[in-house]
Amino acid sequence: MSATGDTKLPTSKAVRDTLADLLGRAVDVAPHAPVASVPTDSLAIYVDEHLGTRAIVMADLPCSVFIGSALGLVPAGAAKDAVKDKVLPENARENLAEVLNIVSGLLNQPGTPHVKLYGVHSPGDSVPVDIRAAAAALGRRLDLEVTVPGYGTGVLSVVLV
């Protein structure tokens, strides 16, 4: 396939291995039913060289908090309190953005267009309607339940546009 082909979904194993490498701990992933984006999700937008949207990665609030907190070695109790309080702390937000930037490597496969992280929308941010609609589309997507041991479980979705 040429570099003008379609972006490909990563495998569940690739997602698990990448998260485990970044967090320095085993991470469990399991299939999850497709979910639609809600305002408490973090959304990462990935674009090609022409700024065409190629993929969206969504992380629900628990997934956002647990991944960001585990990367920053925030105590699990504080992370669980943040989820209970429905807030994504600034340090977890910044750490999650770093993880989502590295996730672009999962989308860059031989013979496919190079994609890069264009931006991250944190919970409560205004998200363009077309991005929210694309994130809800069924079809070319990978929805995973992600468990960060010691922290908890959330949902991460990769949606190709």
Side-chain angles (χ1 to χ4, degrees):
M1 182 177 274
S2 71
T4 58
D6 287 336
T7 302
K8 295 179 183 175
L9 282 172
T11 64
S12 299
K13 181 185 181 315
V15 172
R16 184 197 68 208
D17 292 350
T18 298
L19 292 176
D21 288 346
L22 290 170
L23 301 180
R25 65 179 67 221
V27 174
D28 297 319
V29 300
H32 192 278
V35 295
S37 171
V38 297
T40 57
D41 290 344
S42 298
L43 277 95
I45 302 167
Y46 299 86
V47 297
D48 61 21
E49 65 186 27
H50 304 291
L51 298 181
T53 302
R54 287 288 181 152
I56 299 165
V57 173
M58 297 181 298
D60 69 1
L61 182 65
C63 189
S64 297
V65 171
F66 296 146
I67 288 174
S69 296
L71 182 66
L73 301 175
V74 172
K80 291 173 184 176
D81 288 344
V83 171
K84 189 179 355 173
D85 294 340
K86 297 183 171 130
V87 63
L88 179 60
E90 185 61 33
N91 59 342
R93 179 183 318 234
E94 291 171 6
N95 292 337
L96 177 66
E98 290 298 324
V99 170
L100 292 171
N101 186 36
I102 293 168
V103 164
S104 66
L106 294 172
L107 300 168
N108 288 316
Q109 299 174 24
T112 64
H114 180 79
V115 299
K116 64 180 180 179
L117 179 64
Y118 180 75
V120 177
H121 294 275
S122 296
D125 288 353
S126 176
V127 177
V129 174
D130 61 328
I131 296 297
R132 186 114 19 228
L138 297 177
R140 298 183 336 141
R141 62 184 297 140
L142 175 66
D143 295 274
L144 297 171
E145 182 178 271
V146 176
T147 301
V148 180
Y151 286 85
T153 301
V155 178
L156 181 79
S157 301
V158 180
V159 182
L160 300 183
V161 178

